[in-house]
Amino acid sequence: MKTIGIRGKTTPKRLGGAVLFAAAILLFSGCGQKAAKPVEQPATAGISTIMVMAFEDMAAIFGQNAQVRSPISGTLFFTGPVQEDAPPLMTAWVETALEEKGFKVLSGAVAEEARAHALADGDAGMDEFALALGMGRAAEADAVVVGHVFRFKDRVGNPYSVESPASVAFGIHLIRVADGRVIWSARFDEAQKPLAENLLKIGDFVKHKGTWVTATQLARTGLMQKLATFPAP
């Protein structure tokens, strides 16, 4: 006798085929679509006004040939001679570089006035991090740049022959005022060496035409290299 199936009833075999067919359609339709990726915001998103604190001579505080930690990052540096004009030079270079990047820079008299307000409103023993945040709030800045010079030793000799080369060490940090977060840092700690001893610096060697540079030249080169990584507004 011939068996007749009940109309409208789906057998397990048919149900399994339908599920596989539906899955194949969904898989095919999704092949041409990529998952949306979150848009990455720069670290300085929302930051337009930056206060640049004057670079601080750490050798003047702790003496030369001392092992000193950065007040912001805790990184160790060895102090050495620091030329008197080094801190204001580096402060001015940073101000100019950030203005060229499109930030509004607060410095000079504004920074000094903000320092006075921060010291008046804060604890007498506040550390430099707290002082930077207090200055930023007083000046209504979005962020504060804090810099320290640990060594700024000039060469002994001339461009073609030296008894000792230029040696520079500094640290620089960007602190966001809203949450007190360090959102960018850079460290430079170098003494110029002959090309034969440091082939990785061949670019700097060519830039300086194979001569022994001054501390000012070494510091400016190093600072510009570090600021090249500074996030855009």
Side-chain angles (χ1 to χ4, degrees), residues 109-161:
V110 176
E112 288 306 311
E113 185 177 351
R115 178 185 290 272
H117 280 291
L119 291 173
D121 296 339
D123 298 329
M126 74 169 67
D127 59 21
E128 191 165 0
F129 194 93
L131 176 60
L133 287 177
M135 289 176 63
R137 295 189 187 103
E140 298 183 350
D142 300 314
V144 180
V145 167
V146 183
H148 304 92
V149 185
F150 297 86
R151 198 171 61 254
F152 202 101
K153 177 180 174 293
D154 209 356
R155 71 188 179 202
V156 178
N158 59 56
Y160 303 101
S161 177

Side-chain angles (χ1 to χ4, degrees), residues 59-72:
I61 300 173
F62 297 98
Q64 296 183 24
N65 303 314
Q67 193 174 36
V68 177
R69 288 190 181 277
S70 163
I72 306 300

Side-chain angles (χ1 to χ4, degrees), residues 119-232:
L119 291 173
D121 296 339
D123 298 329
M126 74 169 67
D127 59 21
E128 191 165 0
F129 194 93
L131 176 60
L133 287 177
M135 289 176 63
R137 295 189 187 103
E140 298 183 350
D142 300 314
V144 180
V145 167
V146 183
H148 304 92
V149 185
F150 297 86
R151 198 171 61 254
F152 202 101
K153 177 180 174 293
D154 209 356
R155 71 188 179 202
V156 178
N158 59 56
Y160 303 101
S161 177
V162 295
E163 294 178 27
S164 64
S167 180
V168 172
F170 63 82
I172 180 172
H173 313 276
L174 178 66
I175 304 172
R176 187 162 52 205
V177 173
D179 56 7
R181 181 184 170 194
V182 178
I183 57 177
W184 177 86
S185 289
R187 177 182 189 273
F188 183 84
D189 189 349
E190 289 189 15
Q192 189 182 14
K193 296 179 180 178
L195 179 61
E197 294 182 22
N198 195 352
L199 291 174
L200 295 177
K201 292 291 180 179
I202 190 170
D204 293 343
F205 180 83
V206 172
K207 184 183 297 182
H208 296 300
K209 301 179 181 179
T211 61
W212 292 97
V213 298
T214 64
T216 299
Q217 291 171 314
L218 180 62
R220 182 170 176 79
T221 298
L223 183 61
M224 293 303 107
Q225 288 174 345
K226 298 303 180 181
L227 288 177
T229 69
F230 195 95

Side-chain angles (χ1 to χ4, degrees), residues 56-127:
E56 192 165 9
D57 179 353
M58 301 300 280
I61 300 173
F62 297 98
Q64 296 183 24
N65 303 314
Q67 193 174 36
V68 177
R69 288 190 181 277
S70 163
I72 306 300
S73 67
T75 304
L76 283 172
F77 291 87
F78 281 96
T79 60
V82 175
Q83 294 177 195
E84 186 177 352
D85 63 344
L89 263 179
M90 298 196 68
T91 304
W93 290 339
V94 171
E95 292 170 356
T96 301
L98 296 188
E99 286 174 348
E100 290 175 350
K101 285 179 176 288
F103 293 101
K104 178 182 178 181
V105 176
L106 304 178
S107 57
V110 176
E112 288 306 311
E113 185 177 351
R115 178 185 290 272
H117 280 291
L119 291 173
D121 296 339
D123 298 329
M126 74 169 67
D127 59 21

